[in-house]
Amino acid sequence: MNLLKDLYSGKIYPFENIVPTDKEYRPTSEKAGELRDYFQEKSSPEDKGKFRQWEQYTHEVHCMECFANFSYGFRLGAVLLLDLLNGVERMED
């Protein structure tokens, strides 16, 4: 498997594949969904529209944060690998 090729061609799409493994993730997510539904039901039509806009902006911000975290982690991993490789070379001298 060529990881770089798979990443480039879209066979690997980390954003869709990353699901928290914390045991509280699903229950917390369900509670958030229940509250979202509650507020949608109680809202006026105008407020429902504003709420949908808020959800869209919140989603966009979340995607930006996820990308920033992914990008930072990827760069950190690359720097750690370079540091490790440089350390191995120094050990050989």
Side-chain angles (χ1 to χ4, degrees):
M1 175 172 93
N2 185 328
L3 191 61
L4 190 57
K5 185 177 179 181
D6 288 348
L7 185 61
Y8 177 79
S9 66
K11 291 180 184 174
I12 299 172
Y13 189 57
F15 188 74
E16 288 183 348
N17 295 328
I18 297 171
V19 178
T21 57
D22 189 305
K23 66 179 182 171
E24 291 300 314
Y25 172 74
R26 295 231 186 261
T28 302
S29 179
E30 289 172 9
K31 288 175 187 175
E34 290 168 4
L35 284 172
R36 180 194 63 238
D37 294 344
Y38 171 83
F39 285 113
Q40 278 284 64
E41 291 172 11
K42 300 290 183 183
S43 298
S44 69
E46 181 181 338
D47 287 342
K48 286 181 183 181
K50 292 286 186 187
F51 189 77
R52 280 192 291 275
Q53 286 179 334
W54 174 81
E55 280 187 307
Q56 181 62 38
Y57 286 126
T58 300
H59 176 72
E60 290 175 22
V61 166
H62 177 70
C63 290
M64 290 176 202
E65 291 169 344
C66 286
F67 177 75
N69 286 329
F70 173 77
S71 178
Y72 177 81
F74 193 87
R75 287 191 312 265
L76 180 61
V79 168
L80 289 170
L81 180 61
L82 289 172
D83 190 47
L84 175 67
L85 292 174
N86 287 334
V88 169
E89 290 175 10
R90 281 190 297 262
M91 289 174 40
E92 292 173 356
D93 289 343

